[in-house]
Amino acid sequence: MKDHRADESALPLIGIYEISKILGGTLDLEKALHEVLNVLSAYLNMRHGAVVLKDEAGTPSLAAVTGMSLQLARSGALKYPLAAAGKVIATGIPMVAPDIRDEPLLAEMMADGDALEDESISFLCVPVKTTDKPFGALSVERAWTGAARYVFEHDLRFLTMVATLIGQTVSLHQKVADDRDTLMTDAARLQKRMEDVRPALPVRGLEDVVGSSEAMARVFAHVQQAAPTKATILLRGESGTGKELVARAVHILSSRAQKPFVKVNCAALSESVLESELFGHDKGAFTGAVAERKGRFELAHGGTLFLDEIGEISAAFQAKLLRVLQEGEFERVGGSRTIKVDVRLVAATNRDLESAVADGSFRADLYYRLNVVPIVLPPLRERSGDIPLLAMYFLKQFNEENGRDLVFSRNALEALQRCYFPGNVRELENCVYRTATMTRGEVIDEMDLSCRNDTCLSSTLWHKRNPQSPPPPARPAAPIPVPAGPLAPPPNAAGAADATGASERDQLIQAMERCGWVQAKAARLLGLTPRQVGYALKKHNIELRQM
């Protein structure tokens, strides 16, 4: 035969289980509290439950009720004894009124008159708190009949446990809300800083070239100085540093701004196709040439021609290009008519042209013709202070393109600033767009970044390009103080000379020793993932030590 007493004794445990699931399953606090009161009513025969919480002014106010809407209850439809709840909150002592008729503080509840003739209504109220002073109260009513008084000890103990769960949940929600306000404030401040910095940059031509670092200030100065002239400009720098944007800025800031700006990627075309692309061809010059076609030099007449990846052209084509630059004239492929053009040339390369000239793969005379005004674009790792501005700029573009309103948290910007981005600005843009696409909330936090989800290829790319050297440490920007770069030595290192001379293996050992040979801690110190640290330990045959 089934033991009903056993079933009844299990009800409180089942109730606690259901309540914990409710409180941990939603971010809607009002809905969660309402469902908790419903559980109390369904499992424990408690009716007219209520949760009271202090508002911003410190006044007790209804936060959840059963039997009616919260709005209706707050309007006065529920005769709830806020004075009694306020006393429980102020003293932190539970209140038990076996019969509400005997308690003056509960007199207004008698007006409801929903008790039966032989039924008495009891009122139980316990404080809601965590480790601090109470900030709320949980109350229920319970009906009982008969001459014998009901024993409330078990109900009081159970309600205290429920109130503790509610207190922890309310505190967590408040902390989340406070953190979100802080993130939004920081994001707004950083966005304002970006807007304050941008007007200091040249208004015309360089709007899309973001940067406030000393290195970029030199670039802006060189562009403004050289753009109004007719001199050929050679843009130097690693891939992804923004050479095309600077070339366009040169054009816009020149007297040729109203004429065409034509660009060609020399590395993307074979020699024969590149010749036709730049010089054009006459009808019948080769199979498929069914009509006369103007080349990029003709299309850029009066304007600017941007030749990207100029270091990749063949030796044979270098001679043809040199003649155009010297004489300002050429013949189309398959043609005999000499065509004269007036073109301002801006070239770009990520190659070491001096070494190419030394080994004979690049003509010295062409090098001197191109290298009239060299402008070097710094890699992103040498201007890490610009990373927050660039990241917010790209995020603003993403928001405009996708109709979203995302912002970065301070932690996310600091984490980005610690990265060294082998792919430079292009890689940062890719990182921002990828992260923004996969972020579900309104704030991009540090844990949303690829480098915190072990899907970032920066470290892999760097080690493939520079297998014998660690990535250089990033220098933090003043407004956003961050730790030293990914593989920087500990602060108590012997000195800068020793740090820069240390091998990657030595720096890895230093980091492990400093962290007690705990890989996870060392990974955080180095700005890497635990998996990357584990790989590096294996790569350098470093045995783990037991501390």
Side-chain angles (χ1 to χ4, degrees):
M1 183 176 178
K2 189 173 182 180
D3 188 345
H4 293 287
R5 288 177 301 177
D7 290 346
E8 292 179 2
S9 66
L11 286 178
L13 183 59
I14 297 173
I16 288 292
Y17 173 70
E18 292 296 331
I19 288 170
S20 63
K21 284 202 306 182
I22 291 169
L23 294 176
T26 178
L27 294 177
D28 188 337
L29 183 60
E30 181 180 323
K31 177 183 177 183
L33 295 178
H34 182 76
E35 291 182 4
V36 167
L37 295 178
N38 286 339
V39 169
L40 293 178
S41 175
Y43 279 82
L44 302 169
N45 197 27
M46 297 178 179
R47 62 187 190 178
H48 288 318
V51 176
V52 175
L53 298 174
K54 285 185 177 180
D55 58 21
E56 294 181 357
T59 304
S61 175
L62 286 170
V65 296
T66 54
M68 64 179 69
S69 70
L70 182 60
Q71 182 179 3
L72 189 61
R74 285 174 173 173
S75 69
L78 177 66
K79 304 300 181 182
Y80 184 80
L82 280 173
K87 182 179 178 181
V88 171
I89 296 173
T91 62
I93 301 173
M95 177 180 182
V96 178
D99 192 329
I100 61 175
R101 292 171 295 188
D102 301 332
E103 175 57 60
L105 287 174
L106 306 177
E108 57 184 325
M109 295 179 63
M110 296 300 297
D112 287 342
D114 58 352
L116 301 177
E117 292 184 4
D118 61 341
E119 192 175 48
S120 297
I121 303 296
S122 301
F123 180 81
L124 293 85
C125 186
V126 296
V128 172
K129 60 181 181 178
T130 51
T131 56
D132 301 321
K133 294 181 179 179
F135 52 81
L138 166 66
S139 69
V140 295
E141 298 171 31
R142 189 153 198 176
W144 53 278
T145 58
R149 292 278 176 151
Y150 189 83
V151 178
F152 299 101
E153 180 182 352
H154 296 295
D155 287 348
L156 199 61
R157 185 182 300 119
F158 175 76
L159 287 178
T160 300
M161 288 190 290
V162 175
T164 298
L165 292 176
I166 291 175
Q168 292 171 345
T169 302
V170 172
S171 296
L172 178 61
H173 278 253
Q174 185 59 51
K175 187 176 185 303
V176 170
D178 292 344
D179 288 347
R180 184 181 182 280
D181 290 343
T182 301
L183 292 175
M184 296 297 286
T185 301
D186 285 346
R189 180 181 56 77
L190 291 169
Q191 185 68 32
K192 185 177 184 304
R193 174 176 173 257
M194 177 184 175
E195 292 171 357
D196 291 342
V197 171
R198 290 301 299 281
L201 303 180
V203 176
R204 178 172 169 266
L206 289 166
E207 298 91 344
D208 294 329
V209 185
V210 179
S212 60
S213 63
E214 182 180 347
M216 287 307 295
R218 288 195 296 270
V219 171
F220 297 146
H222 292 163
V223 169
Q224 289 180 301
Q225 180 71 25
T229 70
K230 296 182 179 180
T232 299
I233 293 178
L234 178 62
L235 301 177
R236 311 288 297 267
E238 296 178 6
S239 178
T241 49
K243 293 188 286 293
E244 183 179 333
L245 287 176
V246 174
R248 190 178 294 276
V250 169
H251 173 71
I252 294 174
L253 291 170
S254 73
S255 59
R256 302 169 179 258
Q258 303 305 316
K259 297 295 184 178
F261 175 77
V262 180
K263 58 182 180 179
V264 179
N265 188 327
C266 299
L269 304 172
S270 65
E271 181 180 335
S272 58
V273 175
L274 181 61
E275 183 177 3
S276 174
E277 193 69 26
L278 288 178
F279 304 145
H281 60 255
D282 282 346
K283 180 179 180 180
F286 50 83
T287 303
V290 296
E292 178 184 276
R293 183 176 183 275
K294 289 184 178 181
R296 299 297 178 95
F297 269 101
E298 285 182 80
L299 295 175
H301 180 66
T304 303
L305 177 63
F306 174 51
L307 297 183
D308 198 7
E309 304 293 355
I310 192 71
E312 306 302 320
I313 61 176
S314 67
F317 191 76
Q318 290 174 28
K320 298 176 182 178
L321 180 59
L322 179 61
R323 181 202 168 198
V324 180
L325 298 182
Q326 287 177 331
E327 308 297 336
E329 60 184 34
F330 61 91
E331 292 84 31
R332 292 178 184 155
V333 176
S336 57
R337 182 169 61 93
T338 299
I339 300 172
K340 285 189 170 290
V341 289
D342 174 21
V343 171
R344 167 61 169 303
L345 184 68
V346 178
T349 184
N350 59 11
R351 287 190 62 190
D352 181 356
L353 290 186
E354 289 76 16
S355 297
V357 171
D359 63 25
S361 61
F362 200 87
R363 293 178 63 110
D365 47 3
L366 178 58
Y367 168 79
Y368 293 124
R369 181 65 65 174
L370 293 173
N371 196 40
V372 178
V373 179
I375 297 178
V376 179
L377 275 66
L380 195 53
R381 61 182 175 275
E382 292 181 6
R383 57 182 186 110
S384 61
D386 290 336
I387 290 177
L389 294 177
L390 285 163
M392 288 187 289
Y393 177 79
F394 292 136
L395 186 60
K396 181 180 178 182
Q397 283 187 332
F398 176 89
N399 287 337
E400 292 174 351
E401 294 170 5
N402 296 276
R404 299 190 65 179
D405 195 25
L406 292 167
V407 294
F408 279 110
S409 74
R410 183 184 182 87
N411 289 340
L413 289 176
E414 288 177 345
L416 285 174
Q417 197 172 15
R418 288 193 296 267
C419 295
Y420 43 89
F421 293 110
N424 294 297
V425 178
R426 186 181 295 121
E427 183 185 355
L428 174 59
E429 180 182 13
N430 178 277
C431 176
V432 170
Y433 270 65
R434 180 173 63 250
T435 302
T437 300
M438 301 307 294
T439 298
R440 297 184 179 181
E442 296 179 357
V443 178
I444 298 176
D445 205 357
E446 180 179 358
M447 297 311 297
D448 295 318
L449 302 175
S450 298
C451 53
R452 294 298 178 265
N453 293 289
D454 209 16
T455 58
C456 179
L457 297 179
S458 290
S459 180
T460 303
L461 288 173
W462 179 269
H463 283 298
K464 283 186 176 180
R465 294 179 183 179
N466 306 273
Q468 302 302 322
S469 62
R475 293 177 294 181
I480 306 180
V482 296
L487 286 180
N492 60 352
D498 293 337
T500 54
S503 68
E504 179 182 346
R505 188 178 192 277
D506 292 338
Q507 293 186 15
L508 185 59
I509 292 175
Q510 288 176 9
M512 291 295 291
E513 289 178 343
R514 186 179 175 193
C515 297
W517 288 87
V518 177
Q519 287 181 235
K521 291 183 180 180
R524 288 193 294 270
L525 177 65
L526 298 173
L528 304 173
T529 65
R531 181 181 299 178
Q532 289 169 335
V533 170
Y535 170 77
L537 290 171
K538 291 181 180 178
K539 171 185 173 184
H540 295 293
N541 295 318
I542 301 174
E543 295 183 4
L544 287 176
R545 302 176 189 175
Q546 299 297 326
M547 302 298 291

